[in-house]
Amino acid sequence: MSTTQSDRLRGLLEPLVAAKGLDLEEIELSKAGRRRMLRIVVDSDEGVELDACAELSREASDALDASDVMGEDEYVLEVSSPGADRPLSEHRHYVRATGRLVKFQLVEDGELTARILDVDDEGMDLEVPGVKGRKATARRIAFTDIAKARVEIEFNRKDKKEEEA
């Protein structure tokens, strides 16, 4: 997707997304056979419900059809929320992942898997799980120390309400 088309799509879609109280995370335009696929990924602090995606899809489709940003060729529009295992790259992603287990690829120290406890402007406080019965330890890392980060899916984690009971 050319920068100009990308900028035009962002300019057209961002106000629609913001009006729904959502963040525009990604716009991806790719080939799907003879058609093109326009994928819009949105998120919010509370997550995104299916109804919000459907409503945004209708509004985005109308706006795209009324403009010339997609040209004359056919395209398929997909509006979705990011997957649970999407990379964390923005400050808001880390804030939304508070309480979750995250696998960090650090710039210098290899890999680290830890739970995010708190996030501020410079970095975050983590709880590194103990190994072989040892207690968890606290650690602080700066955003500048992170090369990549991704939420780890936990299938057997107890809900906070269950832990308190």
Side-chain angles (χ1 to χ4, degrees), residues 141-153:
I141 61 171
F143 289 116
T144 56
D145 295 336
I146 302 169
K148 291 188 222 176
R150 188 178 300 269
V151 170
E152 290 284 286
I153 306 299

Side-chain angles (χ1 to χ4, degrees), residues 18-120:
K20 300 275 182 226
L22 303 172
D23 296 316
L24 181 58
E25 294 291 344
E26 183 180 347
I27 299 173
E28 181 184 312
L29 185 61
S30 60
K31 284 281 195 186
R34 292 183 292 189
R35 293 184 180 171
R36 293 174 298 159
M37 169 74 83
L38 176 60
R39 186 168 169 244
I40 302 167
V41 180
V42 296
D43 202 3
S44 79
D45 290 344
E46 294 80 34
V48 182
E49 293 185 5
L50 186 59
D51 289 343
C53 285
E55 189 176 323
L56 180 59
S57 179
R58 286 188 292 276
E59 290 179 19
S61 179
D62 291 344
L64 289 164
D65 290 347
S67 77
D68 64 346
V69 71
M70 291 298 291
E72 296 296 318
D73 295 335
E74 291 183 18
Y75 65 92
V76 175
L77 174 62
E78 177 184 300
V79 177
S80 65
S81 62
D85 64 345
R86 67 113 179 252
L88 305 177
S89 57
E90 302 283 334
H91 183 271
R92 67 178 178 263
H93 298 163
Y94 292 101
V95 171
R96 290 174 184 160
T98 299
R100 305 282 307 268
L101 194 64
V102 175
K103 185 174 189 177
F104 298 94
Q105 181 67 45
L106 302 176
V107 174
E108 294 183 10
D109 296 331
E111 287 186 353
L112 170 68
T113 301
R115 191 168 309 283
I116 298 175
L117 299 177
D118 191 37
V119 179
D120 59 34

